[in-house]
């Protein structure tokens, strides 16, 4: 028998394999788990060339999967933009942006990741940005990716005027006289992007390298890029062919409401054929069914409950949703639907039901991402339809975007069903945990802590738990980042657990998260990340 390439000994390995749930050592051969057992059993397999890693008694887990983040765009945006995530006042935003502008002479000054729970049409406009960057076009994007703002120089550069019509599923905020204020909602941000200098493929490739290194450092070995087009596929394919990917990348291709069903399926079929490799593949179709509550583009079953009232329409008609879902399901694509409002969640479930009725059941594991609001009548439909609730638990806590925006907008009765993760789990739904980076951190341990506590970290002060009855357990969270996430990404036969024959994707942690205080889980550091037995991160 050929000796293993690597053995891990003196470890506490939680394999997520029910047949061998907890072992002390494992062996890796050819990038895959070759054996599980005790230290003595595994050490007996070693040969002269076997690398031995002594874990020092530390906890080892399968590599985590983030099933909804923006790898390529987020990485590239992080590399070129001022980081506005810490700004909590207009003065702080201006100081950070102005300081960043002074560091370079590029034609455009870009900023990213501002908090739309604080900055909106009441305190953000072109004049605010003019004070920080008066001499060049400037554009900033919110962390949620659904809101942006440009300064006066940018408004002039892109030719935005009072007469410019709103793009499909987008809106230019205007003052009482009809002039653009600079605020951009939804696809209005893409309208501006199309009129400013485009990054090169090399820029985007560098963004992928940045993002995957950041992910590896936090224990992530599987990623799902949550909205891709032809350029994304081209860049990923190049990196995959060069052996430059250090995480397994899945991607979901964005569908626009203006496309015909036949045209959309044919286009995504071409992307799938161009991306079928072990390290990168397009396997699903992405639908933005609504926007976000922060800019009042979330689609609710009943109107908003705050003083302004109103509501938002679905971004696809119900007939379009059903027709597209049926067609993509028939072509054996997974559906990946963005749904914030309870109407968008219901529409996604209705579309999946239509696909099931037309095509029969198969293990598609169609995913509904975010599920910020859900009508309780729809909770059992996830399990009945085999739909995955792709959730971002970091948002399920008392902070301005929730307590000052979402709760007043939906009212007290519907607020009970904001981020109702325990209710979904108890109703039988499969939960896959994710981050939506760069909307928020991709650190899974910070996210797990919040899923368990429903509170911000203790370092941010004392906060009441946000509907503590919706808390998840640690075991459910780890399952949501490993076996469930792998199944939802159609790779449960290859990853998600440290089972013999599967890829040796594993992480070694600095603490036992099963034994420590839940409020300390977010401080966990990843000491080692292996992808197919190859080191891609070491602390």
């Amino acid at each position: 028998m050929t000796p293993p390439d690597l053995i891990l000994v003196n470890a506490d390995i939680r394999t997520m394999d029910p047949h061998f749930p907890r072992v002390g050592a494992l062996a890796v051969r050819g990038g895959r788990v070759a054996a599980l057992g005790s230290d003595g059993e595994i050490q007996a397999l070693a040969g002269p060339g076997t690398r031995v890693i002594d874990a020092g008694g530390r906890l080892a887990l399968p590599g985590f999967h983030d099933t909804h983040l923006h790898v390529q765009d987020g990485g590239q945006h992080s590399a070129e933009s001022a980081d506005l995530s810490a700004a909590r006042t207009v003065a702080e935003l201006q100081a950070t942006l102005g300081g960043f502008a002074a560091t370079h002479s590029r034609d455009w000054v870009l900023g990213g990741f501002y908090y739309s729970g604080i900055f909106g049409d009441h305190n953000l406009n072109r004049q605010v940005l003019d004070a920080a960057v008066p001499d060049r076009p400037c554009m900033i994007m919110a962390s949620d990716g659904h809101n942006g703002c440009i300064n006066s120089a940018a408004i002039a550069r892109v030719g935005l005027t009072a007469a410019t019509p709103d793009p499909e599923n987008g809106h230019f905020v205007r003052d009482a006289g009809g002039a653009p204020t600079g605020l951009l909602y939804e696809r209005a941000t893409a309208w501006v992007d199309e009129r400013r200098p485009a990054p090169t493929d090399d820029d985007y490739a560098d963004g992928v390298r940045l993002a995957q290194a950041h992910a590896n450092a936090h224990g992530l070995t599987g990623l799902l890029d949550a909205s891709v087009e032809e350029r994304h596929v081209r860049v990923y394919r190049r990196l995959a062919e060069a052996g430059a990917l250090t995480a397994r990348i899945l991607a979901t291709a964005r569908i626009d409401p203006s496309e015909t069903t036949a045209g959309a399926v044919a286009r995504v079929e071409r992307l799938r054929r161009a991306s079928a490799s072990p390290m990168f593949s397009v396997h699903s179709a992405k639908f933005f069914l609504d926007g976000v509550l922060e800019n009042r583009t979330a689609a609710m079953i009943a109107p908003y409950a705050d003083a302004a009232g109103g509501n938002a329409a679905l971004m696809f008609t119900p007939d379009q949703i059903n027709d597209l879902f049926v067609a993509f399901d028939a072509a054996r694509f997974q559906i990946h639907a963005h749904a914030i409002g309870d109407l968008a969640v219901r529409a996604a479930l209705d579309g999946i039901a239509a696909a099931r009725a037309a095509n029969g059941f198969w293990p598609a594991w169609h995913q509904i991402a975010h599920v910020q609001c859900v009508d309780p009548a729809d909770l059992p439909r996830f399990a009945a339809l085999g739909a995955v609730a792709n959730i971002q638990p970091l948002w399920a806590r008392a902070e301005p975007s929730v307590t000052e925006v979402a709760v007043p907008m939906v009212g007290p009765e519907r607020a009970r069903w904001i981020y109702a993760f325990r209710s979904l789990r108890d109703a039988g739904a499969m939960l896959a945990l994710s981050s939506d980076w760069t909307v928020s951190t991709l650190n899974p341990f910070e996210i797990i802590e919040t899923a368990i506590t429903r509170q911000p970290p203790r370092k941010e002060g004392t906060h009441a738990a946000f509907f503590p009855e919706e808390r998840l357990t640690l075991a459910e969270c780890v399952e949501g980042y490993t076996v469930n996430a792998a199944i939802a990404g159609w790779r449960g036969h290859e990853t998600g657990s440290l089972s013999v024959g599967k890829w040796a994707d594993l992480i070694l942690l600095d603490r036992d998260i099963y034994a420590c205080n839940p409020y300390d889980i977010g401080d966990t550091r990843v000491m080692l990340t292996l992808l197919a037995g190859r080191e891609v991160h070491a602390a």
Side-chain angles (χ1 to χ4, degrees):
M1 183 176 178
T2 306
D5 307 311
L6 176 149
I7 61 173
L8 178 71
V9 297
N10 190 20
D12 178 12
I13 305 171
R14 304 257 187 163
T15 67
M16 303 305 291
D17 180 336
H19 300 292
F20 301 95
R22 200 169 181 182
V23 297
L26 62 74
V28 178
R29 185 186 301 110
R32 296 181 181 269
V33 178
L36 300 166
S38 66
D39 284 349
E41 290 168 334
I42 298 303
Q43 286 171 331
L45 303 176
T50 300
R51 179 187 177 193
V52 180
I53 299 176
D54 186 328
R58 291 189 175 95
L59 175 65
L61 292 169
F64 283 9
H65 297 246
D66 191 319
T67 51
H68 187 105
L69 74 168
H70 301 277
V71 183
Q72 191 172 134
D73 292 344
Q76 191 276 328
H77 190 40
S78 296
E80 71 171 357
S81 303
D83 183 356
L84 305 174
S85 61
R88 291 295 180 267
T89 67
V90 167
E92 289 173 352
L93 184 146
Q94 290 172 325
T96 302
L97 192 59
F100 176 74
T103 67
H104 68 83
S105 58
R106 293 194 293 272
D107 187 33
W108 281 67
V109 176
L110 303 177
F113 324 119
Y114 73 82
Y115 186 19
S116 58
I118 290 177
F119 299 105
D121 59 5
H122 61 291
N123 65 352
L124 182 61
N125 54 33
R126 58 186 173 84
Q127 289 90 351
V128 167
L129 300 190
D130 290 345
V133 186
D135 56 340
R136 284 177 283 170
C138 175
M139 179 178 183
I140 65 173
M141 284 292 295
S143 62
D144 60 22
H146 293 260
N147 298 273
C149 191
I150 54 178
N151 69 353
S152 297
I155 288 174
R157 179 71 64 87
V158 301
L160 177 60
T161 70
T164 305
D166 283 343
E168 182 180 45
N169 289 327
H171 177 58
F172 301 115
V173 179
R174 304 170 194 274
D175 63 20
T181 68
L183 273 175
L184 313 167
Y185 290 167
E186 301 298 333
R187 296 297 283 173
T189 62
W191 186 95
V192 173
D193 279 336
E194 291 165 0
R195 288 159 176 79
R196 66 179 185 87
T200 66
D201 281 8
D202 286 344
D203 293 330
Y204 284 112
D206 287 342
V208 173
R209 293 186 183 94
L210 181 153
Q212 67 182 2
H214 186 47
N216 294 155
H218 289 93
L220 295 165
T221 56
L223 307 173
L224 188 147
D225 201 320
S227 181
V228 305
E229 297 175 350
E230 192 278 331
R231 176 261 300 166
H232 299 82
V233 172
R234 186 173 66 241
V235 171
Y236 280 130
R237 183 176 179 178
R238 182 179 117 192
L239 289 168
E241 290 172 349
L245 294 178
T246 62
R248 305 181 193 282
I249 308 287
L250 290 172
T252 182
R254 180 175 183 140
I255 311 301
D256 286 319
S258 59
E259 295 183 272
T260 66
T261 296
V265 172
R267 177 176 63 82
V268 182
E269 284 274 22
R270 289 193 295 272
L271 296 180
R272 178 163 64 179
R273 287 194 299 271
S275 64
S277 79
M279 290 299 293
F280 168 64
S281 62
V282 173
H283 80 308
S284 56
K286 172 68 176 287
F287 297 84
F288 282 91
L289 298 188
D290 68 343
V292 293
L293 287 166
E294 286 84 353
N295 65 18
R296 309 182 77 84
T297 56
M300 300 295 294
I301 295 169
Y304 303 144
D306 60 1
N311 205 337
L314 293 166
M315 292 183 172
F316 294 76
T317 69
D319 286 345
Q320 272 185 305
I321 293 168
N322 291 355
D323 191 49
L324 284 159
F325 280 28
V326 167
F328 275 101
D329 180 81
R332 293 302 187 256
F333 284 98
Q334 186 180 84
I335 304 299
H336 196 109
H338 165 111
I340 293 290
D342 56 12
L343 178 61
V345 172
R346 178 167 293 177
L349 291 166
D350 289 346
I352 294 170
R356 295 296 194 213
N359 305 322
F361 185 90
W362 61 283
W365 297 113
H366 297 312
Q367 299 191 41
I368 303 178
H370 312 316
V371 198
Q372 181 170 359
C373 302
V374 62
D375 188 284
D378 288 323
L379 293 170
R381 298 182 69 197
F382 282 80
L385 294 168
V388 176
N390 188 315
I391 60 171
Q392 296 74 44
L394 190 80
W395 307 341
R397 61 195 200 184
E399 58 180 32
S401 64
V402 176
T403 57
E404 297 175 22
V405 178
V407 169
M409 283 182 69
V410 305
E413 183 177 343
R414 288 182 293 180
R416 167 63 186 83
W417 304 105
I418 292 177
Y419 301 129
F421 302 148
R422 163 56 52 202
S423 296
L424 280 162
R425 180 71 164 71
D426 287 350
M430 178 186 283
L431 304 183
L433 275 61
S434 62
S435 67
D436 205 8
W437 183 81
T438 55
V439 175
S440 57
T441 179
L442 57 66
N443 184 336
F445 302 100
E446 293 181 7
I447 293 168
I448 287 171
E449 179 182 316
T450 303
I452 296 169
T453 66
R454 303 279 290 198
Q455 294 168 279
R458 286 183 297 188
K459 63 189 176 186
E460 295 183 17
T462 303
H463 297 267
F466 183 71
F467 293 110
E469 59 267 41
E470 294 294 343
R471 287 168 166 161
L472 298 175
T473 68
L474 174 62
E476 290 164 345
C477 291
V478 174
E479 182 181 68
Y481 264 117
T482 56
V483 288
N484 285 3
I487 291 168
W490 295 0
R491 45 192 179 190
H493 63 295
E494 295 271 51
T495 62
S497 67
L498 293 171
S499 305
V500 173
K502 290 189 178 183
W503 290 114
D505 300 346
L506 67 87
I507 58 178
L508 195 63
L509 308 183
D510 72 341
R511 70 196 64 196
D512 183 355
I513 60 175
Y514 292 88
C516 72
N517 187 312
Y519 292 93
D520 293 330
I521 291 174
D523 295 326
T524 300
R525 293 180 65 221
V526 177
M527 307 304 292
L528 180 71
T529 304
L530 301 181
L531 181 79
R534 175 169 64 96
E535 184 179 298
V536 293
H537 164 75

